[in-house]
Amino acid sequence: MASPFAAVSLSFFLFSFLSFAQSSTIGVTYISRLLEIQDRERAPPSVQIAAAYGVLHRLLPSHSSSFEFGIVSKEQCGGDSCFMISNHPSSSGHGAPEILITGVTGVEIMAGLHWYLKYWCGSHISWDKTGGAQLLSVPDSGSFPRVQEAGILIQRPIPWNYYQNAVTSSYTFAWWDWKRWEKEIDWMALQGINLPLAFTGQEAIWQKVFRNFNISHLDLKDFFGGPAFLSWSRMGNLHGWGGPLPQSWLDQQLLLQKKILARMYELGMTPVLPAFSGNVPAALKYIFPSAKITRLGNWFTVGGNPRWCCTYLLDATDPLFIEIGKAFIQQQLKEYGRTGHIYNCDTFDENTPPVDDPEYISSLGAAIFRGMQSGDSNAIWLMQGWLFSYDPFWRPPQMKALLHSVPMGRLVVLDLFAEVKPIWITSEQFYGVPYIWCMLHNFAGNIEMYGILDAVASGPVEARTSENSTMVGVGMSMEGIEQNPVVYDLMSEMAFQHSKVDVKVWIALYSTRRYGKSVPEIQDAWNILYHTVYNCTDGSYDKNRDVIVAFPDIDPSFIPTPKLSMPGGYHRYGKSVSRRTVLKEITNSFEQPHLWYSTSEVKDALGLFIASGGQLLGSNTYRYDLVDLTRQALAKYANQLFLEVIEAYQLNDVRGAACHSQKFLELVEDMDTLLACHDGFLLGPWLESAKQLAQDEQQEIQFEWNARTQITMWFDNTEDEASLLRDYGNKYWSGLLRDYYGPRAAIYFKYLLESLETGNEFALKDWRREWIKLTNDWQNSRNAYPVRSSGNAIDTSRRLYNKYLQDPEIYDL
């Protein structure tokens, strides 16, 4: 039977079916030798097909017999990777397969399955936390929609689809077991991801490597960070924080990595392994006293605490660097049995080189690569390009020196933040070096409805089709996942899109797929969201600084409010305070919430969502989006409500300050109740998954402390000075609002009201001490939180919408 959904969706696409669209860039020619090697070394077709059937069975066990899979050559695809969808020749027989999907690898087969489910069956696949898979629209076996008789061919316009950020392994993956990893690898395959980072378990490899350089297990206790902070330990930003790592953790993670790699290889993926960046234990300096080892500067510790900061870096030009780099690559090969020949190394990520001489920088880059190449003659260096987007050190001569220090085609750069700040444009295509266009999108796994859908829908195409393009892939390089599913649905699709996407048409199809039916009011709501929260074009980094989750550590006299801000300066207790003084304190202590859209329009979208609830009662994806949208609207309302407290304070209005602060605290409690209505917004799973990896009670305490600390203070503090990274990993999670964010705000308001009642200045140091004590106590507490949602999302959202969002004066920014 033909699908009415397919009839609509096909009118949207500009693909030339069963035609071969050659779109290789200059960059692709540079990596062609590696692509040939990877094709030769890939798992046998039978293994990839079996792995693809495994994904299908886990996703749609009742429909396993409805599909047949097969591997085809690139020649059959016109020279590129592709997938093909056709009606099965035997589909007329009872119980016979109905749809035949073939592809160059298991990943392409899975991408083809996902494409068929999306655009012929109207289904949707996202992470479990963001609503999971909407598969109710998939028809029964025997009734599958037929594609056109000629079949469908979709080619990759560019070879690679990259996934992950170097810190995703801490912000999201820290506590995952094999069950959760298996789901993620399935998700990767369905999205067409063929170039994922594979960083798990590397500490056990390092332990074995350093043992050969006379570094004992005891020496490493202060080197590795705790489980929630391993990413920054690996990059040389910190050492020891949250540790030491138990031997059982090291062994357990290595076993997990071997399972992860095995599945990735079975599906035809190319896992990216780590390489040596120069980060070494302190003991190496004493074992090799003549080696060029320098101590790095402070990275966000309070007062440069040497217990955690100022790690040691082995100069890449030292012969010992190549020895260690070679040993690390070889040890991985020994443990894993194979490699995809691509290695990630970020020596200069938030660690600026000591000298800006281009010749020196070139020698560093060449030596780093030799460390990889000496262990694997076919090695390719994959480097995050984040340093080029924020560090003024990297001017054109320095960039060129690093990028050209490696033979052409043996270095690939991730244009990490290309949807906001594309470096390929300002660097003449990375000065001729192959790169991957990446969407960074999320920092620290913060929960915030945010995106730039137009940039996602056009940026990769513009980069690939630009003059002398060296682009070789697209990628998703977010710091944390399991949020904003619409953004990742579109971005993953860009790995197969040859032309820019009309987002207005795409978003209408998205809402129908996501909920399994077309609801006009919901489509109107999504059109509003597309033009507001998902249309951020101001270029600001979107680290969530909403007041609830990132409470300002500043005297309330210095917080500007819209009604009281005056051109001549601010007034504090009748005394004039210069704007320069105020702005300095604000800059140092209060990063204002990011707002780029009309909150009243988003409130209207929420009203449409709530009004449509009766039609989507059984939809888990709808409930997730409803809770998220209500949370988003209430969070921005809370920011305004906080400013009402501050304004009352600055006007010496005790009654107003007390009234608004109480309303703020009540709102925090109500939001906690709202978040408890969906599994995707619970604190409990994060903490319980940490504890479940422990082997004994001591480890359980350590792992839970790691999990609690990352989402609150993050790094070190003193009794009266908070961490410089406080609230960086903030989360809108039920339990966290009730037991941490709410009590913290209450402490602040207590001192604010005392200041008004006594006429004394705000006791900033006293507030700080009490807040820090609250944080330390909460991080060390052991109280458990629910791992399953409770409450009615629709009723709760409606109640809070009516309670808080009906005041047009306060909620119309």
Side-chain angles (χ1 to χ4, degrees):
M1 61 176 285
S3 166
F5 189 89
V8 175
S9 64
L10 279 173
S11 65
F12 161 59
F13 295 114
L14 298 177
F15 290 111
S16 176
F17 297 117
L18 287 176
S19 67
F20 302 136
Q22 298 296 331
S23 56
S24 290
T25 66
I26 296 171
V28 174
T29 63
Y30 291 146
I31 63 168
S32 59
R33 177 177 173 273
L34 174 67
L35 294 174
E36 291 172 3
I37 293 171
Q38 290 175 337
D39 286 343
R40 289 198 305 268
E41 296 180 352
R42 229 176 285 282
S46 60
V47 172
Q48 295 186 59
I49 292 170
Y53 277 120
V55 178
L56 172 61
H57 182 72
R58 288 185 290 275
L59 180 69
L60 274 171
S62 59
H63 292 69
S64 294
S65 62
S66 300
F67 296 91
E68 183 174 318
F69 299 149
I71 295 287
V72 295
S73 66
K74 282 186 177 178
E75 287 69 31
Q76 291 172 274
C77 289
D80 294 320
S81 293
C82 80
F83 60 79
M84 293 184 273
I85 308 170
S86 61
N87 302 315
H88 198 280
S90 306
S91 59
S92 58
H94 178 69
E98 300 170 70
I99 300 295
L100 173 64
I101 302 176
T102 56
V104 170
T105 71
V107 170
E108 271 78 32
I109 293 172
M110 287 297 91
L113 172 67
H114 189 193
W115 201 272
Y116 176 79
L117 293 175
K118 284 174 77 167
Y119 292 114
W120 273 262
C121 301
S123 69
H124 172 78
I125 296 169
S126 67
W127 295 293
D128 285 353
K129 276 195 172 184
T130 57
Q134 186 290 108
L135 298 170
L136 294 176
S137 59
V138 177
D140 294 336
S141 294
S143 304
F144 269 28
R146 295 177 64 82
V147 301
Q148 57 261 46
E149 288 304 315
I152 306 297
L153 178 144
I154 306 291
Q155 292 173 306
R156 286 188 187 271
I158 211 83
W160 285 331
N161 188 358
Y162 170 81
Y163 183 57
Q164 292 180 44
N165 184 298
V167 302
T168 320
S169 55
S170 291
Y171 282 129
T172 298
F173 307 153
W175 314 115
W176 282 10
D177 56 11
W178 169 242
K179 181 179 179 182
R180 180 61 187 87
W181 263 111
E182 183 174 52
K183 282 193 172 191
E184 189 69 10
I185 297 170
D186 287 355
W187 181 89
M188 291 182 204
L190 290 160
Q191 310 303 322
I193 292 162
N194 58 8
L195 192 68
L197 282 187
F199 272 20
T200 304
Q202 63 176 281
E203 283 65 36
I205 302 289
W206 277 120
Q207 187 182 42
K208 296 176 182 181
V209 169
F210 281 132
R211 189 180 299 144
N212 293 329
F213 290 87
N214 298 317
I215 301 291
S216 69
H217 178 60
L218 188 62
D219 294 327
L220 293 175
K221 280 186 175 293
D222 191 43
F223 181 59
F224 299 134
F229 303 98
L230 278 175
S231 294
W232 302 275
S233 173
R234 292 165 179 169
M235 291 187 290
N237 302 133
L238 56 82
H239 65 95
W241 180 251
L245 289 176
Q247 187 62 46
S248 59
W249 169 273
L250 297 168
D251 297 340
Q252 175 192 69
Q253 292 294 295
L254 183 57
L255 289 173
L256 180 59
Q257 169 76 336
K258 290 178 179 180
K259 286 186 176 181
I260 292 168
L261 290 176
R263 181 59 55 80
M264 288 178 173
Y265 286 130
E266 287 168 4
L267 284 162
M269 296 178 182
T270 299
V272 177
L273 296 176
F276 180 48
S277 65
N279 180 30
V280 295
L284 198 76
K285 187 173 179 64
Y286 305 104
I287 296 170
F288 296 91
S290 62
K292 288 189 248 180
I293 298 175
T294 56
R295 193 160 198 184
L296 297 173
N298 183 27
W299 187 84
F300 292 111
T301 66
V302 174
N305 192 330
R307 291 182 63 193
W308 325 117
C309 89
C310 312
T311 55
Y312 289 92
L313 187 72
L314 175 63
D315 194 298
T317 61
D318 191 290
L320 186 60
F321 187 101
I322 295 176
E323 284 186 51
I324 296 175
K326 176 181 179 180
F328 183 55
I329 298 293
Q330 290 180 336
Q331 188 65 40
Q332 289 185 97
L333 290 171
K334 180 180 177 182
E335 292 285 344
Y336 306 145
R338 60 172 299 179
T339 176
H341 307 295
I342 302 182
Y343 303 93
N344 173 253
C345 178
D346 296 307
T347 300
F348 310 115
D349 189 8
E350 301 187 12
N351 289 322
T352 304
V355 181
D356 68 355
D357 176 35
E359 287 190 16
Y360 172 72
I361 292 171
S362 181
S363 66
L364 286 179
I368 290 168
F369 178 65
R370 279 200 302 272
M372 302 176 204
Q373 191 179 34
S374 59
D376 177 1
S377 60
N378 293 314
I380 296 279
W381 177 6
L382 182 73
M383 180 184 74
Q384 290 191 149
W386 176 243
L387 67 169
F388 302 135
S389 68
Y390 78 92
D391 192 340
F393 173 92
W394 295 101
R395 302 180 299 282
Q398 288 72 27
M399 276 187 71
K400 289 179 184 176
L402 179 60
L403 295 173
H404 292 167
S405 65
V406 177
M408 191 60 72
R410 306 301 288 272
L411 172 66
V412 176
V413 183
L414 300 175
D415 198 353
L416 210 70
F417 203 15
E419 86 277 22
V420 172
K421 193 175 181 180
I423 303 299
W424 70 268
I425 294 176
T426 58
S427 65
E428 302 171 21
Q429 305 274 354
F430 286 94
Y431 303 110
V433 170
Y435 73 93
I436 295 175
W437 193 103
C438 292
M439 176 193 75
L440 178 51
H441 181 259
N442 178 271
F443 289 88
N446 293 164
I447 296 172
E448 168 84 305
M449 292 183 75
Y450 158 82
I452 317 173
L453 294 182
D454 284 341
V456 169
S458 61
V461 177
E462 290 171 353
R464 177 174 51 80
T465 58
S466 63
E467 186 177 0
N468 297 321
S469 176
T470 58
M471 178 176 161
V472 295
V474 296
M476 296 183 282
S477 55
M478 63 285 121
E479 289 192 353
I481 63 169
E482 298 176 322
Q483 34 71 34
N484 289 292
V486 63
V487 176
Y488 296 89
D489 194 329
L490 178 58
M491 185 62 226
S492 64
E493 198 169 291
M494 297 310 295
F496 297 96
Q497 292 281 13
H498 291 250
S499 304
K500 295 180 183 180
V501 171
D502 184 334
V503 181
K504 185 175 182 180
V505 178
W506 187 92
I507 208 81
L509 292 171
Y510 172 84
S511 64
T512 301
R513 291 190 293 104
R514 181 147 170 85
Y515 310 127
K517 62 168 67 174
S518 177
V519 179
E521 293 83 2
I522 290 289
Q523 290 188 322
D524 291 343
W526 269 104
N527 191 46
I528 293 172
L529 296 179
Y530 160 45
H531 289 102
T532 53
V533 295
Y534 291 117
N535 187 38
C536 179
T537 57
D538 62 9
S540 295
Y541 291 16
D542 195 61
K543 298 186 288 288
N544 192 318
R545 308 311 294 174
D546 286 340
V547 173
I548 290 177
V549 295
F551 208 84
D553 177 24
I554 185 174
D555 186 320
S557 305
F558 287 165
I559 298 176
T561 62
K563 295 178 185 177
L564 297 183
S565 297
M566 295 178 290
Y570 298 96
H571 290 78
R572 181 183 183 191
Y573 303 111
K575 298 179 181 179
S576 178
V577 181
S578 75
R579 174 175 291 273
R580 183 174 182 178
T581 300
V582 172
L583 290 179
K584 182 176 186 298
E585 182 161 346
I586 291 171
T587 301
N588 290 344
S589 305
F590 178 35
E591 188 177 349
Q592 297 191 47
H594 181 201
L595 188 63
W596 62 94
Y597 58 87
S598 164
T599 53
S600 60
E601 287 186 69
V602 172
K603 186 188 77 170
D604 292 341
L606 175 58
L608 292 170
F609 256 80
I610 292 171
S612 305
Q615 301 179 64
L616 297 169
L617 288 173
S619 171
N620 191 30
T621 47
Y622 165 76
R623 289 194 299 275
Y624 174 87
D625 290 345
L626 176 64
V627 171
D628 199 23
L629 182 53
T630 308
R631 176 211 54 74
Q632 181 80 10
L634 291 175
K636 304 312 170 189
Y637 171 73
N639 293 340
Q640 283 297 99
L641 192 54
F642 175 77
L643 291 178
E644 293 289 322
V645 177
I646 300 305
E647 182 178 292
Y649 174 81
Q650 293 174 358
L651 292 172
N652 292 310
D653 179 1
V654 178
R655 184 176 177 183
C659 177
H660 289 306
S661 61
Q662 184 56 42
K663 192 171 184 180
F664 183 96
L665 296 175
E666 186 178 335
L667 173 59
V668 175
E669 288 282 339
D670 280 339
M671 286 184 70
D672 195 272
T673 301
L674 167 74
L675 297 171
C677 293
H678 195 280
D679 290 352
F681 299 98
L682 302 180
L683 169 64
W686 172 251
L687 299 183
E688 291 305 314
S689 60
K691 291 189 285 185
Q692 286 171 10
L693 291 185
Q695 300 291 312
D696 54 43
E697 186 177 1
Q698 184 179 353
Q699 289 182 21
E700 189 174 298
I701 292 170
Q702 178 191 2
F703 294 176
E704 184 172 2
W705 182 91
N706 268 254
R708 286 171 178 259
T709 299
Q710 190 206 84
I711 60 177
T712 51
M713 199 61 83
W714 205 106
F715 213 178
D716 68 332
N717 57 264
T718 63
E719 288 185 358
D720 55 8
E721 189 170 356
S723 165
L724 301 176
L725 292 173
R726 60 188 180 272
D727 294 325
Y728 186 83
N730 65 66
K731 302 289 187 294
Y732 276 104
W733 282 345
S734 177
L736 192 57
L737 273 73
R738 184 189 67 234
D739 287 358
Y740 180 66
Y741 293 139
R744 175 174 65 178
I747 295 170
Y748 188 86
F749 293 144
K750 178 185 73 172
Y751 285 104
L752 182 148
L753 292 171
E754 281 182 6
S755 172
L756 283 178
E757 291 165 353
T758 63
N760 296 324
E761 291 195 359
F762 181 80
L764 184 63
K765 289 185 178 178
D766 291 340
W767 130 255
R768 204 169 273 162
R769 288 192 193 97
E770 194 168 340
W771 155 44
I772 290 172
K773 183 180 184 304
L774 166 75
T775 307
N776 292 339
D777 290 345
W778 190 83
Q779 287 171 179
N780 288 301
S781 62
R782 303 297 309 284
N783 49 317
Y785 293 87
V787 296
R788 293 286 179 269
S789 59
S790 61
N792 186 299
I794 298 175
D795 290 348
T796 303
S797 293
R798 182 181 293 112
R799 177 175 66 82
L800 298 186
Y801 177 84
N802 292 330
K803 180 177 180 179
Y804 292 107
L805 303 180
Q806 297 304 303
D807 183 351
E809 290 188 9
I810 195 171
Y811 201 77
D812 189 10
L813 305 182

